[in-house]
Amino acid sequence: MEIRTIVRKHSLLVSLFALFVFFALITEGRILAPQNMSNLVLQNSYVLIMACGMLLCILTGGNVDLSVGAVVCLIAATAAKLLESGMGSIPVILLCLLLSAIVGAWQGFWIGYMRIPSFICTLAGMFMFRGFGREILDSQTVIINDRAFFDIFTAYIAFPVIDSGDVKWSAMLVGCIISILVAATVMSARSRRIRKGYERPSLKNEIIKVIMIDALILAYTWKIAHFRGISVMLIWVIAVVGFYQYLTTKSLTGRYLYAVGGNARTAELSGIDTAKIYFLAYTSMGLLAGLSALMVAARVGSVNGDIGNSFEMDAIGACFIGGASAAGGSGTVVGAVIGGLLLGVINQGMSIIGLGNNWQYVVKGAILMFAVMFDIVSNRRLSKAS
């Protein structure tokens, strides 16, 4: 019975582990190759980053941003053209991030202060920004040749002594540090709940949770240590995820986001400026879409009018698979990240086995449905048991 409870409580981690095992079997272990494990994060970095911003929109009441894929196109096109003109990589990055924040603020203003429904506003933005992006590109593909721009997003970190051999030990060192921080964070939160007299999971469940997370972290860093080590793109992902985890769990803004999503009218009566919360959520989403655009452009090395297609669906899917409520007011950054990794494993596994595009859609939809159903049924049973 205890094992069943653990599985229900950590169903997302169990699903992620089960997917790895499944695709490891059918790909004869190829998905676990060091290069494929490294590419897992690199190829899905945009999903993990945009899922953090999308979660904030969803928390405000089940709202979404349908325009993020088009924003990626607009910002990537702008960056490519500016780099082609000879402008330095740092000014280009700063200008593009500023532009993406302005785009997000534009939508946040209409949604938050003018009360335009988010679906309509962002749907209009999806068409507008895609059109602007294609106009900037003049419907052509622009090649990026700026080495400094590539290094900011796609380089690998190598330390002179410990990374001089075939194994990049700095990756394992980073994995150990993150594992220790995860354990310390979980136990610190538990101690805080004990001091305040709050309800808390059993110590055994907490320890098993830490072991599961740390095992995945160490296994991943061990694999990438045998390829090229820690990539700069992974650092970007960790930094964004860490910041948004802090924002949603430790800050006053995070509490307001959950309050607005729980009941916007009650939040207003409590003195919360709900318009400001909507504005901040969509400005944040625009900024992260801009950052994702720069990362994708650097990884691919070129930009065309189709870049960013369906990115919004990946970000939304990652959040809902990760446990976010369609009604708002519920969801976590960690859950969204795990949801994004689930999508990444599915995509990579199907690509390795060479499954046709038509069947990829079928399999992906079936697995996503199963993951969501598993999580919902598990939580429902857990609620009845308690």
Side-chain angles (χ1 to χ4, degrees):
M1 181 64 77
E2 188 67 25
I3 294 177
R4 290 183 180 178
T5 302
I6 292 169
V7 170
R8 291 169 187 166
K9 279 182 171 292
H10 310 300
S11 55
L12 280 173
L13 285 173
V14 173
S15 297
L16 181 60
F17 178 77
L19 271 179
F20 267 118
V21 172
F22 172 74
F23 280 113
L25 291 173
I26 66 173
T27 63
E28 299 178 345
R30 283 177 292 167
I31 195 172
L32 300 178
Q35 183 174 355
N36 286 331
M37 293 298 289
S38 180
N39 288 338
L40 177 63
V41 170
L42 301 187
Q43 293 173 355
N44 296 281
S45 57
Y46 73 90
V47 179
L48 303 180
I49 285 178
M50 288 202 296
C52 295
M54 191 66 72
L55 177 67
L56 267 58
C57 298
I58 292 173
L59 287 178
T60 60
N63 302 302
V64 295
D65 189 342
L66 299 176
S67 69
V68 292
V71 174
V72 167
C73 178
L74 172 62
I75 301 303
T78 303
K81 280 295 188 179
L82 290 176
L83 290 169
E84 188 180 51
S85 71
M87 183 179 288
S89 56
I90 298 299
V92 167
I93 291 170
L94 293 177
L95 281 173
C96 286
L97 290 178
L98 176 61
L99 176 59
S100 62
I102 291 172
V103 168
W106 163 265
Q107 299 201 117
F109 168 76
W110 292 108
I111 294 169
Y113 291 98
M114 303 306 293
R115 300 299 180 179
I116 303 297
S118 62
F119 181 88
I120 300 299
C121 186
T122 59
L123 181 63
M126 181 175 70
F127 293 116
M128 291 170 55
F129 303 138
R130 177 73 63 181
F132 285 141
R134 289 180 172 174
E135 183 64 26
I136 291 171
L137 293 170
D138 195 22
S139 299
Q140 297 178 351
T141 298
V142 177
I143 307 298
I144 299 174
N145 294 308
D146 193 299
R147 186 72 256 170
F149 180 76
F150 291 147
D151 289 342
I152 291 172
F153 295 107
T154 62
Y156 286 81
I157 298 172
F159 292 92
V161 178
I162 60 176
D163 291 337
S164 57
D166 293 334
V167 179
K168 312 303 179 185
W169 291 106
S170 62
M172 281 305 301
L173 179 61
V174 170
C176 291
I177 292 172
I178 294 176
S179 297
I180 292 171
L181 288 175
V182 168
T185 301
V186 172
M187 292 307 158
S188 175
R190 178 179 176 80
S191 298
R192 200 159 48 245
R193 288 194 294 268
I194 291 174
R195 287 197 307 271
K196 295 182 179 181
Y198 295 161
E199 185 180 352
R200 57 196 178 277
S202 69
L203 179 60
K204 184 177 180 180
N205 280 343
E206 295 276 41
I207 292 174
I208 291 175
K209 174 184 176 180
V210 169
I211 290 174
M212 291 172 65
I213 295 174
D214 285 357
L216 288 173
I217 292 171
L218 292 174
Y220 179 76
T221 51
W222 174 253
K223 284 291 183 179
I224 64 173
H226 286 75
F227 179 55
R228 297 176 65 183
I230 298 290
S231 67
V232 175
M233 197 170 288
L234 178 59
I235 300 298
W236 279 104
V237 171
I238 292 173
V240 170
V241 171
F243 174 78
Y244 277 82
Q245 173 68 7
Y246 175 84
L247 178 70
T248 54
T249 60
K250 303 296 183 183
S251 71
L252 192 61
T253 301
R255 297 190 187 98
Y256 287 171
L257 283 164
Y258 284 99
V260 170
N263 191 314
R265 180 58 180 164
T266 301
E268 281 186 345
L269 294 175
S270 301
I272 297 175
D273 188 345
T274 56
K276 181 179 178 181
I277 295 302
Y278 290 124
F279 178 82
L280 290 175
Y282 281 90
T283 301
S284 165
M285 183 69 260
L287 183 61
L288 292 187
L291 176 59
S292 297
L294 297 172
M295 295 171 70
V296 172
R299 186 177 63 83
V300 176
S302 64
V303 178
N304 61 40
D306 291 328
I307 192 171
N309 273 343
S310 78
F311 279 18
E312 61 278 353
M313 294 298 104
D314 290 335
I316 294 169
C319 291
F320 287 136
I321 291 171
S325 170
S330 176
T332 65
V333 169
V334 172
V337 169
I338 296 176
L341 290 175
L342 281 166
L343 284 173
V345 173
I346 294 168
N347 289 331
Q348 190 176 69
M350 290 190 297
S351 296
I352 291 174
I353 63 177
L355 198 64
N357 285 336
N358 295 336
W359 283 108
Q360 282 194 30
Y361 283 114
V362 174
V363 173
K364 186 176 179 180
I367 293 177
L368 294 182
M369 178 64 75
F370 173 78
V372 173
M373 288 173 58
F374 180 76
D375 190 47
I376 292 173
V377 172
S378 297
N379 288 332
R380 190 175 296 163
R381 288 179 178 176
L382 187 63
S383 299
K384 289 180 179 179
S386 59

